[in-house]
Amino acid sequence: MTDPDDRFLTERLHALAGGVTPPVVPADADVRRGRRRLVRVRATMAGASIGALAVVLGVTGLTAGDPQATEPPVVGRTTGTALPATPDGSTPSGSPSRGERDGERDGGGDELTSLGGGGGGAAVGDPASGSASSDATGDGADEHSGKAGSKAGGQPGHWPTGPVVPTDGSTDDVTDGPTDTPTGSPTGSPSDEPTATPSTDGPGTPTGSPTPTGTPTTPPEDPTPPTTGPVRVPKVLSYFNEVLADHLDADRDHLATYDRRVDRRKATRIDGRLFALSGSYRWTDGDDTEAVAVKVATGWDQVDWRCGTTPATWDCAAATGAELARHDGLRQVAAPRADGQVVVVSTEVASADVSDDDLVAAALDDRLVVPGDAVPAAPPLLDAGAFGASGQAALVRDGESFTTTGWARTPSVRGTWAVAGTDRGTLAWSATPLYSGGAWTCLTTYRSCTDVVVDDAGTVVHVGALRKKGGWVLQYDGPTYAVRVSSSDPTFAKKRAYPFLVAPAWQPAASAP
């Protein structure tokens, strides 16, 4: 069986084991053995828990019982009891009294001097007159009964510890008073009323200017708003929510905090740069929930604002530094900034809960800005009136007419062009800022696109032929604005539009970003 070459060793071992009968264990014995094992385990765990608890209690008692060696001993304030004068009026003996022995034992001699005068030394009267006065009533004195009290504000039998007399003979800060050991009886009886003027240097009078004990701390600076640095839209909209609450609901009774999972938001980006950001917040009043919204934009070209447009569909009114509009159940306030940015605050809440003045104040808050460090800068806004009048003067000749059907401050003008009273088609002109992507693009709606040089300086105007009805589009991309003229009538003379397109008046200097 031990031969390593025996290939049937495993089979023989199994056959040998198969002939052995296993011992039969009764079920009740097996149960008892298991219960004994469970009891041993539980006893072991209980013993370990008790041992750990004893260790914890012992350590706690050692550390929390007696004070540490490094802790200073607690010294209680010595409170003396006033002793009455002897019946024969004699002075205390020269031997140390019990209070003096206590003071020497406790090291509290200095504390005893403060009991009679509340913490300060009392003035001593003229020894020749035999009277004594004090600036405060001590524990053992009765200034109205005429009974003997404490000398120099101290208790009977306990002479105050006075300043040490200098050995050089100087008398600075030394008061006339009894020596450490009394030598005789008092020369007179105390009068009913004090005869000396109380000292004006009471214990509560400070003797010098206070010295600060710590280094003054610099007041904390205001935290940097999330509108600077990398743009994190949820943090910015939460910050805008706080700004609106300051003006509309300071107590936070109705305006809910921003919740990115519930509240709507929209960001407008072009080539990775942020041009507009808007957010809507919940205004709750009982079971009703309405909306308060804010939008910050780099310019009017990023805002749908129809005040001053034709046809007039909004009810608009001027406000200080802003415009107020009502339409479609909304109230909106648009506030332009000096740098060209525009802030629009909108709400469905009734004016009884949020006034127009509060909306205007919220829109004018300087904290509402387009977030980021490199915010695109919109060019100066063109004069829409001058733009419309100049376009009509350049494009419409004698014998022709133009009827305006649409006008906006962006600026843009649209109307019907007629010749001899006959409508020939739609004529429109507009200007779009180039900073937000208004450059020329040959669209699929154009049948063809060509470039035309319109002057000796080599100025190029882009021409696009429309597929429908055969109209055309002209556009000039200037330094700041893309100026466009379009006609649905292909017979309209394009040359009329060239001088108007390239006029320098429509290209104001762009502000630095």
Side-chain angles (χ1 to χ4, degrees):
M1 294 178 64
T2 59
D3 187 1
D5 296 333
D6 190 350
R7 293 175 296 176
F8 303 100
L9 176 61
T10 303
E11 289 80 356
R12 288 199 298 271
L13 289 175
H14 281 287
L16 181 62
V20 179
T21 302
V24 179
V25 179
D28 55 348
D30 191 37
V31 172
R32 287 195 299 272
R33 185 169 61 252
R35 289 177 176 174
R36 288 195 299 271
R37 183 183 302 110
L38 181 60
V39 170
R40 290 195 300 272
V41 171
R42 290 180 176 176
T44 303
M45 294 299 295
S49 300
I50 293 173
L53 180 60
V55 171
V56 172
L57 293 177
V59 173
T60 303
L62 292 175
T63 57
D66 298 331
Q68 299 288 339
T70 58
E71 297 179 0
V74 179
V75 178
R77 180 180 179 87
T78 305
T79 57
T81 303
L83 299 178
T86 58
D88 58 352
S90 61
T91 60
S93 62
S95 61
S97 65
R98 180 181 178 180
E100 291 171 345
R101 290 195 299 270
D102 292 342
E104 293 172 358
R105 182 176 64 252
D106 297 338
D110 290 338
E111 294 200 17
L112 294 178
T113 63
S114 65
L115 295 178
V124 180
D126 187 358
S129 64
S131 63
S133 63
S134 174
D135 63 340
T137 303
D139 292 337
D142 187 352
E143 62 181 1
H144 298 291
S145 64
K147 295 180 181 181
S150 62
K151 283 194 175 184
Q155 299 176 6
H158 299 273
W159 294 106
T161 303
V164 179
V165 178
T167 58
D168 57 359
S170 63
T171 59
D172 295 342
D173 297 330
V174 178
T175 59
D176 295 333
T179 59
D180 290 341
T181 303
T183 58
S185 61
T187 59
S189 61
S191 62
D192 291 340
E193 298 297 333
T195 58
T197 303
S199 172
T200 58
D201 296 334
T205 303
T207 58
S209 60
T211 303
T213 57
T215 303
T217 59
T218 303
E221 298 180 357
D222 294 335
T224 302
T227 51
T228 60
V231 179
R232 295 175 175 84
V233 172
K235 289 187 176 181
V236 173
L237 293 181
S238 179
Y239 177 67
F240 287 172
N241 178 277
E242 296 174 1
V243 175
L244 294 181
D246 290 344
H247 297 280
L248 309 182
D249 187 20
D251 295 332
R252 285 288 186 176
D253 295 331
H254 305 286
L255 184 60
T257 57
Y258 175 71
D259 188 346
R260 61 185 302 180
R261 299 168 298 179
V262 178
D263 296 324
R264 293 176 297 175
R265 64 183 183 272
K266 181 179 179 181
T268 301
R269 288 185 172 89
I270 301 175
D271 295 333
R273 297 192 301 168
L274 184 65
F275 283 78
L277 177 64
S278 61
S280 178
Y281 311 106
R282 290 156 289 129
W283 181 280
T284 58
D285 189 0
D287 296 334
D288 297 334
T289 301
E290 296 174 306
V292 175
V294 61
K295 181 174 184 177
V296 292
T298 55
W300 286 106
D301 60 300
Q302 302 296 326
V303 176
D304 182 14
W305 190 255
R306 300 181 186 179
C307 284
T309 62
T310 302
T313 58
W314 290 10
D315 182 11
C316 301
T320 303
E323 283 184 306
L324 176 64
R326 289 177 171 85
H327 64 93
D328 304 319
L330 292 177
R331 282 185 300 151
Q332 290 185 295
V333 173
R337 300 284 195 263
D339 58 359
Q341 294 189 17
V342 180
V343 178
V344 179
V345 177
S346 310
T347 185
E348 300 173 335
V349 182
S351 57
D353 297 323
V354 175
S355 66
D356 294 344
D357 293 339
D358 291 341
L359 284 179
V360 172
L364 292 174
D365 196 302
D366 292 336
R367 293 174 291 177
L368 298 178
V369 294
V370 179
D373 292 334
V375 178
L381 191 64
L382 295 178
D383 186 340
F387 184 81
S390 297
Q392 183 171 346
L395 300 175
V396 181
R397 301 292 175 86
D398 294 339
E400 303 174 351
S401 62
F402 179 80
T403 304
T404 302
T405 58
W407 182 90
R409 69 175 65 190
T410 41
S412 65
V413 180
R414 176 180 293 273
T416 301
W417 173 59
V419 177
T422 302
D423 293 345
R424 301 290 299 270
T426 300
L427 183 64
W429 56 98
S430 63
T432 305
L434 286 174
Y435 85 110
S436 56
W440 168 261
T441 300
C442 186
L443 304 177
T444 57
T445 56
Y446 300 157
R447 185 177 67 252
S448 62
C449 297
T450 56
D451 293 339
V452 178
V453 178
V454 297
D455 56 19
D456 296 337
T459 305
V460 175
V461 171
H462 307 287
V463 180
L466 299 175
R467 294 183 181 274
K468 295 182 179 180
K469 299 181 181 181
W472 46 259
V473 175
L474 305 178
Q475 179 170 320
Y476 166 66
D477 292 344
T480 53
Y481 279 91
V483 184
R484 172 177 293 200
V485 175
S486 63
S487 173
S488 62
D489 186 352
T491 63
F492 188 92
K494 300 181 182 65
K495 292 184 178 181
R496 298 185 189 178
Y498 293 157
F500 171 75
L501 289 172
V502 300
W506 319 134
Q507 307 298 330
S511 57

